[in-house]
CSV table of all heavy atoms in Angstrom, one decimal:
chain,number,residue,atom,x,y,z
A,273,CYS,N,55.5,-18.1,10.2
A,273,CYS,CA,56.7,-18.5,9.5
A,273,CYS,C,56.8,-20.0,9.2
A,273,CYS,O,57.1,-20.4,8.1
A,273,CYS,CB,57.9,-18.1,10.4
A,273,CYS,SG,59.1,-17.1,9.5
A,274,TYR,N,56.5,-20.7,10.3
A,274,TYR,CA,56.6,-22.2,10.2
A,274,TYR,C,55.6,-22.7,9.2
A,274,TYR,O,55.9,-23.6,8.4
A,274,TYR,CB,56.4,-22.8,11.6
A,274,TYR,CG,56.6,-24.3,11.6
A,274,TYR,CD1,57.7,-24.9,11.0
A,274,TYR,CD2,55.7,-25.1,12.3
A,274,TYR,CE1,57.9,-26.2,11.1
A,274,TYR,CE2,55.9,-26.5,12.4
A,274,TYR,CZ,57.0,-27.0,11.8
A,274,TYR,OH,57.2,-28.4,11.8
A,275,VAL,N,54.3,-22.2,9.2
A,275,VAL,CA,53.3,-22.6,8.3
A,275,VAL,C,53.7,-22.3,6.9
A,275,VAL,O,53.7,-23.2,6.0
A,275,VAL,CB,52.0,-21.9,8.6
A,275,VAL,CG1,51.0,-21.9,7.5
A,275,VAL,CG2,51.3,-22.4,9.9
A,276,GLN,N,54.1,-21.1,6.6
A,276,GLN,CA,54.5,-20.7,5.2
A,276,GLN,C,55.7,-21.6,4.7
A,276,GLN,O,55.7,-22.0,3.6
A,276,GLN,CB,54.8,-19.2,5.1
A,276,GLN,CG,55.2,-18.9,3.7
A,276,GLN,CD,54.5,-17.6,3.2
A,276,GLN,OE1,53.4,-17.3,3.6
A,276,GLN,NE2,55.1,-16.9,2.3
A,277,ASN,N,56.7,-21.8,5.5
A,277,ASN,CA,57.9,-22.5,5.1
A,277,ASN,C,57.6,-24.0,4.9
A,277,ASN,O,58.2,-24.7,4.1
A,277,ASN,CB,59.1,-22.2,6.0
A,277,ASN,CG,59.6,-20.7,5.7
A,277,ASN,OD1,59.5,-20.2,4.6
A,277,ASN,ND2,60.1,-20.1,6.7
A,278,THR,N,56.6,-24.5,5.7
A,278,THR,CA,56.2,-25.9,5.6
A,278,THR,C,55.5,-26.1,4.2
A,278,THR,O,55.8,-27.0,3.5
A,278,THR,CB,55.3,-26.4,6.7
A,278,THR,OG1,56.0,-26.2,8.0
A,278,THR,CG2,54.9,-27.8,6.6
A,279,ALA,N,54.6,-25.1,4.0
A,279,ALA,CA,53.8,-25.2,2.7
A,279,ALA,C,54.8,-25.0,1.6
A,279,ALA,O,54.6,-25.6,0.5
A,279,ALA,CB,52.8,-24.0,2.7
A,280,ARG,N,55.8,-24.2,1.7
A,280,ARG,CA,56.8,-24.0,0.7
A,280,ARG,C,57.5,-25.3,0.3
A,280,ARG,O,57.8,-25.5,-0.8
A,280,ARG,CB,57.8,-22.9,1.2
A,280,ARG,CG,58.9,-22.5,0.3
A,280,ARG,CD,59.8,-21.4,0.9
A,280,ARG,NE,61.1,-21.4,0.3
A,280,ARG,CZ,61.5,-20.9,-0.8
A,280,ARG,NH1,60.6,-20.4,-1.6
A,280,ARG,NH2,62.7,-21.0,-1.2
A,281,GLU,N,57.8,-26.1,1.3
A,281,GLU,CA,58.5,-27.4,1.1
A,281,GLU,C,57.6,-28.3,0.2
A,281,GLU,O,58.1,-28.9,-0.7
A,281,GLU,CB,58.9,-28.1,2.4
A,281,GLU,CG,60.0,-27.4,3.1
A,281,GLU,CD,61.3,-27.1,2.3
A,281,GLU,OE1,61.8,-28.0,1.6
A,281,GLU,OE2,61.7,-25.9,2.2
A,282,TYR,N,56.3,-28.3,0.6
A,282,TYR,CA,55.4,-29.1,-0.2
A,282,TYR,C,55.3,-28.6,-1.7
A,282,TYR,O,55.3,-29.3,-2.6
A,282,TYR,CB,54.0,-29.1,0.4
A,282,TYR,CG,53.8,-30.1,1.5
A,282,TYR,CD1,53.6,-29.6,2.8
A,282,TYR,CD2,53.8,-31.4,1.3
A,282,TYR,CE1,53.4,-30.5,3.9
A,282,TYR,CE2,53.6,-32.3,2.3
A,282,TYR,CZ,53.4,-31.9,3.6
A,282,TYR,OH,53.3,-32.8,4.6
A,283,ALA,N,55.3,-27.2,-1.8
A,283,ALA,CA,55.3,-26.6,-3.1
A,283,ALA,C,56.5,-27.0,-4.0
A,283,ALA,O,56.4,-27.2,-5.2
A,283,ALA,CB,55.1,-25.1,-3.0
A,284,LYS,N,57.6,-27.1,-3.3
A,284,LYS,CA,58.9,-27.5,-4.1
A,284,LYS,C,58.7,-29.0,-4.5
A,284,LYS,O,59.2,-29.3,-5.7
A,284,LYS,CB,60.1,-27.4,-3.1
A,284,LYS,CG,60.6,-26.0,-2.9
A,284,LYS,CD,61.8,-26.1,-2.1
A,284,LYS,CE,62.3,-24.8,-1.5
A,284,LYS,NZ,63.3,-25.0,-0.5
A,285,LEU,N,58.2,-29.9,-3.7
A,285,LEU,CA,58.0,-31.3,-4.1
A,285,LEU,C,57.0,-31.4,-5.2
A,285,LEU,O,57.2,-32.1,-6.2
A,285,LEU,CB,57.5,-32.1,-2.9
A,285,LEU,CG,58.5,-32.2,-1.7
A,285,LEU,CD1,57.8,-32.9,-0.5
A,285,LEU,CD2,59.7,-33.1,-2.1
A,286,TYR,N,56.0,-30.6,-5.1
A,286,TYR,CA,54.9,-30.5,-6.2
A,286,TYR,C,55.6,-30.1,-7.5
A,286,TYR,O,55.3,-30.7,-8.6
A,286,TYR,CB,53.9,-29.5,-5.7
A,286,TYR,CG,52.8,-29.1,-6.7
A,286,TYR,CD1,51.9,-30.1,-7.3
A,286,TYR,CD2,52.6,-27.8,-7.1
A,286,TYR,CE1,50.9,-29.7,-8.1
A,286,TYR,CE2,51.6,-27.4,-7.9
A,286,TYR,CZ,50.7,-28.3,-8.5
A,286,TYR,OH,49.7,-28.0,-9.3
A,287,ALA,N,56.4,-29.0,-7.5
A,287,ALA,CA,57.1,-28.5,-8.7
A,287,ALA,C,58.0,-29.6,-9.3
A,287,ALA,O,58.0,-29.8,-10.5
A,287,ALA,CB,57.9,-27.3,-8.3
A,288,ALA,N,58.7,-30.3,-8.4
A,288,ALA,CA,59.6,-31.4,-8.9
A,288,ALA,C,58.8,-32.5,-9.7
A,288,ALA,O,59.3,-33.0,-10.6
A,288,ALA,CB,60.4,-32.0,-7.8
A,289,GLU,N,57.6,-32.7,-9.2
A,289,GLU,CA,56.8,-33.7,-9.9
A,289,GLU,C,56.1,-33.2,-11.1
A,289,GLU,O,55.9,-33.9,-12.1
A,289,GLU,CB,55.7,-34.3,-8.9
A,289,GLU,CG,55.5,-35.7,-9.0
A,289,GLU,CD,54.7,-36.3,-7.8
A,289,GLU,OE1,55.3,-36.4,-6.7
A,289,GLU,OE2,53.5,-36.6,-8.0
A,290,ALA,N,55.6,-32.0,-11.0
A,290,ALA,CA,54.8,-31.4,-12.1
A,290,ALA,C,55.6,-30.8,-13.3
A,290,ALA,O,55.2,-31.0,-14.5
A,290,ALA,CB,53.9,-30.3,-11.6
A,291,GLU,N,56.7,-30.2,-13.0
A,291,GLU,CA,57.5,-29.5,-14.1
A,291,GLU,C,57.9,-30.4,-15.2
A,291,GLU,O,57.8,-30.0,-16.4
A,291,GLU,CB,58.7,-28.8,-13.5
A,291,GLU,CG,58.4,-27.4,-13.0
A,291,GLU,CD,59.5,-26.7,-12.2
A,291,GLU,OE1,60.4,-27.4,-11.7
A,291,GLU,OE2,59.4,-25.5,-12.1
A,292,PRO,N,58.4,-31.7,-14.9
A,292,PRO,CA,58.8,-32.5,-16.1
A,292,PRO,C,57.7,-33.0,-17.0
A,292,PRO,O,57.9,-33.4,-18.1
A,292,PRO,CB,59.5,-33.7,-15.4
A,292,PRO,CG,59.6,-33.3,-13.9
A,292,PRO,CD,58.6,-32.3,-13.7
A,293,LEU,N,56.4,-32.8,-16.5
A,293,LEU,CA,55.3,-33.3,-17.3
A,293,LEU,C,55.1,-32.4,-18.5
A,293,LEU,O,55.0,-31.2,-18.4
A,293,LEU,CB,54.0,-33.3,-16.5
A,293,LEU,CG,54.0,-34.2,-15.2
A,293,LEU,CD1,52.7,-34.0,-14.4
A,293,LEU,CD2,54.2,-35.7,-15.6
A,294,GLU,N,54.9,-33.1,-19.7
A,294,GLU,CA,54.7,-32.3,-20.9
A,294,GLU,C,53.4,-31.5,-20.8
A,294,GLU,O,52.4,-31.9,-20.5
A,294,GLU,CB,54.6,-33.3,-22.1
A,294,GLU,CG,54.8,-32.7,-23.4
A,294,GLU,CD,54.6,-33.6,-24.6
A,294,GLU,OE1,54.9,-34.8,-24.3
A,294,GLU,OE2,54.2,-33.2,-25.6
A,295,GLY,N,53.6,-30.2,-21.1
A,295,GLY,CA,52.5,-29.3,-21.2
A,295,GLY,C,52.0,-28.7,-19.8
A,295,GLY,O,51.1,-27.9,-19.7
A,296,PHE,N,52.7,-29.1,-18.7
A,296,PHE,CA,52.3,-28.6,-17.4
A,296,PHE,C,52.7,-27.1,-17.3
A,296,PHE,O,51.9,-26.3,-16.9
A,296,PHE,CB,52.9,-29.4,-16.3
A,296,PHE,CG,52.1,-29.2,-15.0
A,296,PHE,CD1,51.1,-30.0,-14.6
A,296,PHE,CD2,52.4,-28.1,-14.2
A,296,PHE,CE1,50.4,-29.8,-13.4
A,296,PHE,CE2,51.7,-27.8,-13.0
A,296,PHE,CZ,50.7,-28.7,-12.6
A,297,GLY,N,53.9,-26.8,-17.7
A,297,GLY,CA,54.4,-25.4,-17.7
A,297,GLY,C,54.8,-24.9,-16.3
A,297,GLY,O,55.1,-25.7,-15.4
A,298,GLU,N,54.7,-23.6,-16.1
A,298,GLU,CA,55.1,-23.0,-14.8
A,298,GLU,C,54.3,-23.5,-13.6
A,298,GLU,O,53.1,-23.8,-13.7
A,298,GLU,CB,55.0,-21.5,-14.9
A,298,GLU,CG,55.8,-20.7,-13.9
A,298,GLU,CD,55.4,-19.2,-14.0
A,298,GLU,OE1,54.8,-18.7,-15.0
A,298,GLU,OE2,55.8,-18.5,-13.0
A,299,VAL,N,55.0,-23.7,-12.5
A,299,VAL,CA,54.4,-24.2,-11.3
A,299,VAL,C,54.3,-23.1,-10.2
A,299,VAL,O,55.3,-22.4,-10.0
A,299,VAL,CB,55.1,-25.4,-10.8
A,299,VAL,CG1,54.4,-26.0,-9.6
A,299,VAL,CG2,55.2,-26.5,-11.9
A,300,PRO,N,53.2,-23.0,-9.5
A,300,PRO,CA,53.2,-21.9,-8.4
A,300,PRO,C,54.3,-22.2,-7.4
A,300,PRO,O,54.6,-23.3,-7.1
A,300,PRO,CB,51.8,-22.2,-7.8
A,300,PRO,CG,51.0,-22.9,-8.8
A,300,PRO,CD,51.9,-23.7,-9.6
A,301,GLU,N,54.7,-21.1,-6.9
A,301,GLU,CA,55.8,-21.1,-5.9
A,301,GLU,C,55.4,-20.3,-4.6
A,301,GLU,O,54.8,-19.3,-4.8
A,301,GLU,CB,57.1,-20.4,-6.5
A,301,GLU,CG,58.2,-20.2,-5.6
A,301,GLU,CD,59.2,-19.1,-6.1
A,301,GLU,OE1,59.0,-18.6,-7.2
A,301,GLU,OE2,60.1,-18.8,-5.3
A,302,ILE,N,55.6,-20.9,-3.5
A,302,ILE,CA,55.3,-20.1,-2.2
A,302,ILE,C,56.6,-19.4,-1.8
A,302,ILE,O,57.6,-20.1,-1.6
A,302,ILE,CB,54.8,-21.1,-1.1
A,302,ILE,CG1,53.4,-21.7,-1.6
A,302,ILE,CG2,54.6,-20.4,0.2
A,302,ILE,CD1,52.9,-22.8,-0.7
A,303,ILE,N,56.6,-18.1,-1.7
A,303,ILE,CA,57.8,-17.4,-1.4
A,303,ILE,C,58.3,-17.7,0.0
A,303,ILE,O,57.5,-18.0,0.9
A,303,ILE,CB,57.7,-15.9,-1.8
A,303,ILE,CG1,56.7,-15.2,-0.8
A,303,ILE,CG2,57.4,-15.7,-3.2
A,303,ILE,CD1,56.7,-13.7,-1.0
A,304,GLN,N,59.6,-17.5,0.2
A,304,GLN,CA,60.2,-17.8,1.5
A,304,GLN,C,59.9,-16.6,2.4
A,304,GLN,O,59.8,-15.4,2.0
A,304,GLN,CB,61.7,-17.9,1.3
A,304,GLN,CG,62.3,-18.6,2.5
A,304,GLN,CD,63.6,-19.2,2.2
A,304,GLN,OE1,64.2,-19.0,1.1
A,304,GLN,NE2,64.2,-20.0,3.1
A,305,ILE,N,59.7,-17.0,3.7
A,305,ILE,CA,59.4,-15.9,4.7
A,305,ILE,C,60.5,-16.1,5.8
A,305,ILE,O,60.8,-17.2,6.2
A,305,ILE,CB,58.0,-16.1,5.3
A,305,ILE,CG1,57.6,-15.0,6.3
A,305,ILE,CG2,57.7,-17.4,5.8
A,305,ILE,CD1,56.1,-15.0,6.6
A,306,PHE,N,61.1,-15.0,6.2
A,306,PHE,CA,62.2,-15.1,7.1
A,306,PHE,C,61.8,-14.5,8.5
A,306,PHE,O,61.1,-13.5,8.5
A,306,PHE,CB,63.4,-14.3,6.6
A,306,PHE,CG,64.0,-14.8,5.3
A,306,PHE,CD1,63.6,-14.3,4.1
A,306,PHE,CD2,64.9,-15.9,5.3
A,306,PHE,CE1,64.1,-14.8,2.9
A,306,PHE,CE2,65.4,-16.4,4.2
A,306,PHE,CZ,65.0,-15.8,2.9
A,307,LEU,N,62.2,-15.1,9.5
A,307,LEU,CA,61.9,-14.6,10.9
A,307,LEU,C,63.1,-13.8,11.3
A,307,LEU,O,64.2,-14.2,11.2
A,307,LEU,CB,61.7,-15.8,11.8
A,307,LEU,CG,61.3,-15.5,13.2
A,307,LEU,CD1,59.9,-14.9,13.3
A,307,LEU,CD2,61.4,-16.8,14.1
A,308,ILE,N,62.8,-12.6,11.8
A,308,ILE,CA,64.0,-11.8,12.3
A,308,ILE,C,63.7,-11.5,13.8
A,308,ILE,O,62.5,-11.3,14.2
A,308,ILE,CB,64.3,-10.5,11.6
A,308,ILE,CG1,63.0,-9.6,11.4
A,308,ILE,CG2,64.9,-10.8,10.2
A,308,ILE,CD1,63.3,-8.2,10.8
A,309,HIS,N,64.7,-11.6,14.6
A,309,HIS,CA,64.6,-11.4,16.0
A,309,HIS,C,65.2,-10.0,16.4
A,309,HIS,O,66.4,-9.8,16.0
A,309,HIS,CB,65.4,-12.5,16.8
A,309,HIS,CG,65.2,-12.4,18.3
A,309,HIS,ND1,66.2,-12.8,19.1
A,309,HIS,CD2,64.1,-12.0,19.0
A,309,HIS,CE1,65.7,-12.6,20.4
A,309,HIS,NE2,64.5,-12.1,20.3
A,310,ARG,N,64.4,-9.2,17.0
A,310,ARG,CA,64.9,-7.8,17.4
A,310,ARG,C,64.8,-7.7,18.9
A,310,ARG,O,63.8,-7.1,19.3
A,310,ARG,CB,64.1,-6.8,16.6
A,310,ARG,CG,64.0,-7.0,15.1
A,310,ARG,CD,63.0,-6.1,14.4
A,310,ARG,NE,61.7,-6.3,14.9
A,310,ARG,CZ,60.6,-5.5,14.6
A,310,ARG,NH1,60.8,-4.6,13.7
A,310,ARG,NH2,59.4,-5.8,15.1
A,311,PRO,N,65.8,-8.1,19.6
A,311,PRO,CA,65.6,-8.2,21.1
A,311,PRO,C,65.3,-6.8,21.7
A,311,PRO,O,64.6,-6.7,22.7
A,311,PRO,CB,66.9,-8.7,21.6
A,311,PRO,CG,67.7,-9.1,20.4
A,311,PRO,CD,67.0,-8.7,19.2
A,312,ALA,N,65.8,-5.7,21.1
A,312,ALA,CA,65.6,-4.4,21.8
A,312,ALA,C,64.2,-3.8,21.5
A,312,ALA,O,63.8,-2.9,22.1
A,312,ALA,CB,66.7,-3.5,21.3
A,313,ASN,N,63.5,-4.4,20.5
A,313,ASN,CA,62.3,-3.9,20.1
A,313,ASN,C,61.1,-4.4,21.0
A,313,ASN,O,61.2,-5.5,21.5
A,313,ASN,CB,62.0,-4.3,18.6
A,313,ASN,CG,61.0,-3.4,17.9
A,313,ASN,OD1,59.8,-3.5,18.3
A,313,ASN,ND2,61.4,-2.7,16.9
A,314,ASN,N,60.1,-3.6,21.1
A,314,ASN,CA,59.0,-4.1,22.0
A,314,ASN,C,58.2,-5.2,21.2
A,314,ASN,O,57.4,-5.9,21.8
A,314,ASN,CB,58.1,-2.9,22.5
A,314,ASN,CG,57.5,-2.2,21.3
A,314,ASN,OD1,57.8,-2.4,20.1
A,314,ASN,ND2,56.6,-1.2,21.6
A,315,ILE,N,58.3,-5.3,19.9
A,315,ILE,CA,57.8,-6.5,19.2
A,315,ILE,C,59.0,-7.3,18.7
A,315,ILE,O,59.6,-6.9,17.7
A,315,ILE,CB,56.9,-6.1,18.0
A,315,ILE,CG1,55.8,-5.2,18.5
A,315,ILE,CG2,56.4,-7.3,17.3
A,315,ILE,CD1,55.0,-4.5,17.3
A,316,PRO,N,59.5,-8.3,19.5
A,316,PRO,CA,60.8,-8.9,19.3
A,316,PRO,C,60.9,-9.7,18.0
A,316,PRO,O,62.0,-9.9,17.5
A,316,PRO,CB,61.0,-9.7,20.5
A,316,PRO,CG,59.7,-10.0,21.1
A,316,PRO,CD,58.8,-8.8,20.7
A,317,TYR,N,59.8,-10.2,17.5
A,317,TYR,CA,59.9,-11.0,16.3
A,317,TYR,C,59.1,-10.4,15.1
A,317,TYR,O,58.0,-9.8,15.3
A,317,TYR,CB,59.3,-12.4,16.5
A,317,TYR,CG,60.2,-13.3,17.4
A,317,TYR,CD1,59.8,-13.4,18.7
A,317,TYR,CD2,61.3,-13.9,16.9
A,317,TYR,CE1,60.6,-14.2,19.6
A,317,TYR,CE2,62.1,-14.7,17.7
A,317,TYR,CZ,61.8,-14.8,19.0
A,317,TYR,OH,62.6,-15.6,19.9
A,318,ALA,N,59.7,-10.4,14.0
A,318,ALA,CA,59.0,-9.9,12.8
A,318,ALA,C,59.3,-10.8,11.6
A,318,ALA,O,60.3,-11.6,11.7
A,318,ALA,CB,59.4,-8.5,12.5
A,319,THR,N,58.6,-10.7,10.5
A,319,THR,CA,58.9,-11.5,9.4
A,319,THR,C,59.2,-10.6,8.2
A,319,THR,O,58.8,-9.5,8.1
A,319,THR,CB,57.7,-12.4,8.9
A,319,THR,OG1,56.6,-11.6,8.7
A,319,THR,CG2,57.3,-13.4,10.0
A,320,VAL,N,60.1,-11.1,7.3
A,320,VAL,CA,60.5,-10.4,6.1
A,320,VAL,C,60.3,-11.3,5.0
A,320,VAL,O,60.6,-12.4,5.0
A,320,VAL,CB,62.0,-10.0,6.2
A,320,VAL,CG1,62.4,-9.2,5.0
A,320,VAL,CG2,62.3,-9.2,7.5
């Protein structure tokens, strides 16, 4: 989760720099990943 969301922050900065450039067009986006805690489950953490 931490890896993907860190990479996502870099991707947002990249987009902010690239999007205004003429002819650059759409910029790749790293989708958000959420951590869910399920204390009663035998696998307490999962991602969505």
Side-chain angles (χ1 to χ4, degrees):
C273 230
Y274 185 45
V275 163
Q276 178 134 333
N277 288 329
T278 301
R280 178 177 155 80
E281 289 310 308
Y282 278 112
K284 284 185 192 166
L285 294 170
Y286 172 61
E289 217 167 288
E291 272 170 343
L293 299 175
E294 195 183 334
F296 198 96
E298 198 186 344
V299 182
E301 169 200 0
I302 295 172
I303 64 172
Q304 196 156 11
I305 183 170
F306 298 96
L307 184 69
I308 53 170
H309 185 213
R310 308 170 298 176
N313 198 295
N314 60 355
I315 303 168
Y317 289 100
T319 59
V320 181

